Every structure is written in structure tokens, then in C-alpha cells.
Amino acid sequence: MDEPFAWLTIAVAAVVTYMWRGLGVALAGRVAPDSKVLEWVTCVAYALLAGLVARMILVPVGPLAEVALWMRLAAIAACVGCYLAFGRRLLPGVLAGAVTLAGLAAIFGL
Amino acid sequence: MTQPPDSPAPPTPADDPAARRGGVRALRQGVVDALGAPALLLFASYLGFGSLVHGAELSLFAGIASTIATFALPGQIVAVELYATGATLTGIALAVALTNVRLLPMTLALLPRFGKAPRWQLYALAHVIAVTGWVQAMTVLHRMPMADRVPYYAGFAAVLMSSTLAGTVFGFLASDVVPAALSLGLIMVNPIYFLLMLSRNLAVPAHAWAMGFGVVLGPSLHLLSPDWGLLATGLIAGTAGFVIGRRPLRNRNG
């Protein structure tokens, strides 16, 4: 039911992901985990993830695009607020953000 | 990630009955430790992934395959998001590779803790190295007898894998059943979970700069090029953060 490109996407994502883990096993003990190249590569990974998160919230693709921007931002505020209020525990923060967005979407419509 | 590797284990014959009983006990301990917060959090975040898969008009089986074969949420989300935006396969491969490249230093740091375990076990265990299990392993493994470590991690990871699969399936199926507003809440779990996870790494200046630039460039470069925007964001913002963040660090270390 998926087009072949969807399966190709999943297969390629899996292969390039295991590539790093396998390489890690092969190179363990020979490359220092804190070398300069790996440090740079870690920075790139963090930047990419942060960019993705910002993009998903500000310029969403798919169903989230139907929700007004202020609702998404309110959900973020609730999430961060609860996360900090509950001593930096992830679950309360994630729960508060999700419930806020669902609540606002239910009350004010999509 | 900078602790010295452990000293090699005394050889433990696999056919020694006492060692085997110990292995079962260690595996059970891994299962017990994973049940609770780690399994619950992963379940919640994969609920979001399941609804994202649904929202991208992929099938449930595609979502399950992605979770089993990739088992690293950020890369899975990047793949599905880029698929939904209509990116090319090369673009997707590069972005997923860059997203998950952190698995290389993570594996390099964790592997010495398994000592002289057989290579095939290490290559199999490597597949289930992801943030949650890695943090746990780095925290507890060095306090265990060497022979217990592989079974312990296998038990821990088996629970995590089960909860990610359950999350993927429930998240996908729930999208069809629950009200639209609630399924939007589920999809929102992904960005906010990562937002919080990322915020925990702000202590390293280079990482903080990289993420700061990433937040600015991510949306803007996406508008310029949906296909290559994310990749360019990682490379530009990451390199900038690396360069800026290095200098203060070096000064502090003398």
C-alpha cells in the first residue's frame, strides 16, 4: 500500500543508521571517542536536530500545519514550564505540551 | 564519555553452568530496570512517531519496520518528515546519516565496557544502542561483573524495543480513532520531547552555539530549500558552533 519510495526511504534510513553503530564496533579502541572530528560531527548532529525541532514547530509539514502558530507556541511554553516546575523531569513536560495543544485545538478549532 | 575503559574481564567459559545462571539473572535485572520510567518515556515518544507516520500517509507496517530496523527516534523522524516534504533519496540518506552520526561516538565510548565479548554479540548489541539505553549502560555497567554486562544490556534493550514498537502501533492506530485534536497532541510529542532532550545538552558551549544557530537556520533554510535546508542547517550551524565553542573551552582547560 506504500509506494516503493516509502520503503526505500525506510531501508536507506536503517542502513545509514546501523552504519555508524557497526563502524563504532569496528573502530572501538582505535579511535578516541573525544577526538576533534567526532566533536565536530556531534556539533553538526545537535545543530541539525535543533534546526529540525524549530522547523517542526514554526514551519510544520502535515497535520500540525493546520494548528495556529500561537497554539503551538503556547504548547511549547506549557511544556517548558511544567518541565522546569517538576524538577526537569521529561514526562510532565511532554505531557503538558501535548495536552495543551490538544486542548487548544479542541476549544478553538483547527 | 571520557572515563577510561575498564580493565579486561577474566575469561568466563560460556558453558559453565554457574556463569549461565548468572547471565539469566543479569538479563532479568536489565528487564526490571528498563520497566518504569525508561520504557514509559520511550512509549510516549513513539506514540508521537506512530501518529507522525499516520500523518505522512505511510502504512502501519512502514512505521513498524522503521522502528525495528532503525531504532533511533531522531533519524526516524527526519526520514518520515523529509519523505512527507518530498525530498530526494540522497537528501534523506545524508540528513539521516548526519542526524544519527552521534551513534558513532556513543558506540565508541560504550564498547570498551563490554570487554572481550564475542564480536557477533557486539555487532548485535550495537543495533540497540540509542540514547536511553546508552545513558543507562554508561551509568551502571562498570559496577557489574564483566560476564553480566551483555545479558543485562540485552534485557534492558529488549524492553525498550518492545515499548517503542507498542508506541508506534498505538500511536498509529490511535490517530484513526481519537479526535483530531488529540492526535495533534500526539504528533506534538516529537518536537517537544526533543526540545527538552536537547536543552539538557546546553552545558557544552559548542553544542549550545550549534543548537542556537540551528534553531535560527532550520526554519529559514527550509523555506529556501525543503530538500537540502536541514542538511545545510546541520553543516553550517554545527561548524559555526564547533568553531566558536572551541576557543573558550581550550582557554578554560589551560
Side-chain angles (χ1 to χ4, degrees):
Chain A
M1 63 187 105
D2 299 292
E3 48 175 318
F5 188 76
W7 287 105
L8 215 53
T9 299
I10 286 159
V12 163
V15 168
V16 299
T17 302
Y18 187 77
M19 174 181 80
W20 298 124
R21 293 166 167 144
L23 207 61
V25 178
L27 296 180
R30 278 185 276 168
V31 177
D34 51 2
S35 72
K36 284 279 164 273
V37 176
L38 289 182
E39 223 172 81
W40 170 72
V41 137
T42 308
C43 284
V44 170
Y46 276 128
L48 197 151
L49 273 177
L52 177 70
V53 168
R55 205 277 285 143
M56 285 174 88
I57 293 164
L58 298 175
V59 197
V61 178
L64 271 188
E66 296 158 28
V67 186
L69 177 63
W70 72 266
M71 293 188 201
R72 288 178 249 136
L73 294 179
I76 298 295
C79 160
V80 174
C82 272
Y83 170 72
L84 294 177
F86 283 84
R88 293 176 188 267
R89 296 229 308 274
L90 292 171
L91 210 51
V94 169
L95 210 61
V99 168
T100 303
L101 189 84
L104 289 176
I107 293 167
F108 295 98
L110 301 181
Chain B
M1 302 227 301
T2 49
Q3 287 102 330
D6 302 272
S7 51
T12 323
D15 47 13
D16 174 1
R20 187 169 296 175
R21 269 200 307 280
V24 172
R25 203 184 326 112
L27 188 129
R28 200 178 301 139
Q29 189 58 47
V31 169
V32 169
D33 285 357
L35 291 170
L40 203 62
L41 257 178
L42 271 186
F43 177 77
S45 42
Y46 271 83
L47 278 180
F49 177 70
S51 359
L52 184 70
V53 169
H54 188 273
E57 289 170 1
L58 289 164
S59 73
L60 174 59
F61 299 106
I64 292 174
S66 167
T67 296
I68 294 177
T70 306
F71 196 62
L73 189 53
Q76 291 177 251
I77 291 174
V78 168
V80 171
E81 282 275 331
L82 285 181
Y83 170 81
T85 59
T88 62
L89 198 61
T90 318
I92 294 173
L94 282 172
V96 173
L98 277 178
T99 306
N100 283 340
V101 71
R102 77 208 131 76
L103 294 169
L104 174 57
M106 282 165 62
T107 308
L108 285 174
L110 182 57
L111 252 270
R113 311 225 163 178
F114 290 112
K116 296 258 175 283
R119 302 298 286 175
W120 69 267
Q121 289 186 359
L122 295 179
Y123 277 105
L125 277 188
H127 179 65
V128 286
I129 291 179
V131 172
T132 310
W134 184 83
V135 170
Q136 177 76 9
M138 293 299 280
T139 315
V140 303
L141 280 190
H142 64 279
R143 288 190 250 123
M144 290 180 187
M146 198 56 94
D148 285 357
R149 297 180 183 186
V150 169
Y152 177 88
Y153 192 73
F156 195 87
V159 173
L160 296 189
M161 177 68 91
S162 314
S163 71
T164 59
L165 278 175
T168 305
V169 171
F170 278 105
F172 186 95
L173 297 179
S175 307
D176 271 332
V177 191
V178 301
L182 198 55
S183 92
L184 285 170
L186 286 180
I187 294 183
M188 192 68 180
V189 166
N190 292 314
I192 61 186
Y193 178 67
F194 281 120
L195 180 79
L196 296 183
M197 289 291 278
L198 288 175
S199 75
R200 299 181 152 192
N201 297 293
L202 288 171
V204 179
H207 298 171
W209 281 108
M211 286 187 272
F213 290 129
V215 164
V216 176
L217 287 184
S220 7
L221 291 184
H222 168 77
L223 293 175
L224 280 179
S225 159
D227 197 354
W228 300 101
L230 190 59
L231 205 61
T233 298
L235 290 173
I236 298 170
T239 306
F242 175 72
V243 171
I244 294 177
R246 267 181 72 180
R247 209 169 297 164
L249 256 187
R250 184 178 292 172
N251 287 346
R252 195 184 308 154
N253 293 343

